[in-house]
Amino acid sequence: MTHPQIAVLRDGQAAITANKVLKNTYLLLAATLGFSALTALLSIALAVPSWTYLASVIVAMVLGIFVLPRTANSASGIGVIFLITGLLGFGLGAILSQYLALPNGPQTVGLAFGGTATIFLGLSGYALTSKRDFSFMGGFIFAGMMVVMIAVIANLFLQMPALALAISSAIILLMSGFILFDTSRIARGEETNYIMATYGIYLSIFNIFISLLQLLGIMGSDD
């Protein structure tokens, strides 16, 4: 039988560890988001072609799948995640250039940025203050991602604005679920690697921003 004092000490140590991971995650997340903003501005200044976005995303995905997990427990993992987020930011700059060139483009980008910040801060704050366990969402999110992937492939051939609108909306909902899921895991001490935690939350924020841009762009084009 475990002594009550030992159990309390273990719980206290677990809480301290979880808080440390949470703090490091948000510090690294802020740094990577700032770095992405700088590389996006560089991309806009260089007026890179639109294919840069797809190329950057592919390279970043390869690094995230095959390189980051192997380096996440060492100092080199920090360099890898900055490389990944820098690439995504650089590719994003090519997309932003297209939106900024449109009528009301700056307003669209501003709304997407504000909406993304509101969604992230609201959901993260709720997950942390409610202390709820959102692990039950894992299966639903995975199933949802499969459906969205099929819809994306289908729309490559169909080119239906209504389906594109539905896909963007679904991605926003799914990424919002990921933010709740990932934040809950960190707060509950189930995620102990702040580099991987940062990577997961960063991708959710990135996808929400891209989807909001597409959503606002589609709605704006109907004016």
Side-chain angles (χ1 to χ4, degrees):
M1 182 176 179
T2 303
H3 195 280
Q5 290 183 344
I6 296 177
V8 170
L9 287 174
R10 287 178 179 175
D11 290 341
Q13 184 61 42
I16 292 172
T17 301
N19 288 334
K20 182 178 180 180
V21 173
L22 187 65
K23 177 183 176 181
N24 289 339
T25 297
Y26 281 112
L27 286 174
L28 185 57
L29 180 64
T32 52
L33 288 171
F35 185 61
S36 292
L38 291 176
T39 57
L41 290 173
L42 175 62
S43 178
I44 293 172
L46 294 175
V48 299
S50 58
W51 58 261
T52 304
Y53 172 72
L54 182 58
S56 298
V57 168
I58 292 173
V59 175
M61 285 179 60
V62 171
L63 290 172
I65 295 172
F66 298 105
V67 180
L68 186 62
R70 298 183 180 183
T71 59
N73 292 314
S74 63
S76 58
I78 295 177
V80 174
I81 196 169
F82 270 100
L83 177 59
I84 292 172
T85 55
L87 280 169
L88 290 174
F90 192 78
L92 178 62
I95 301 297
L96 291 178
S97 295
Q98 295 180 357
Y99 278 92
L100 292 172
L102 297 174
N104 299 321
Q107 292 90 332
T108 299
V109 173
L111 283 172
F113 176 81
T116 302
T118 301
I119 291 171
F120 169 66
L121 293 175
L123 292 175
S124 292
Y126 176 71
L128 292 174
T129 55
S130 68
K131 301 184 185 301
R132 290 186 59 187
D133 181 4
F134 290 96
S135 59
F136 68 90
M137 298 179 64
F140 295 104
I141 294 173
F142 179 78
M145 288 300 299
M146 294 298 101
V147 173
V148 167
M149 288 178 62
I150 293 172
V152 168
I153 294 172
N155 208 37
L156 291 176
F157 302 97
L158 300 174
Q159 295 295 311
M160 296 172 56
L163 182 54
L165 188 70
I167 291 171
S168 296
S169 301
I171 290 175
I172 292 171
L173 290 175
L174 288 172
M175 293 303 110
S176 297
F178 266 121
I179 290 174
L180 288 172
F181 180 80
D182 290 337
T183 304
S184 173
R185 291 189 70 244
I186 299 169
R188 294 170 61 84
E190 296 169 6
E191 175 60 78
T192 58
N193 189 298
Y194 70 94
I195 294 178
M196 294 304 298
T198 299
Y199 179 61
I201 296 176
Y202 177 94
L203 288 182
S204 297
I205 294 172
F206 182 85
N207 283 306
I208 288 174
F209 181 68
I210 289 291
S211 298
L212 276 176
L213 272 179
Q214 294 172 342
L215 193 62
L216 293 170
I218 292 171
M219 294 173 65
S221 66
D222 294 332
D223 296 339

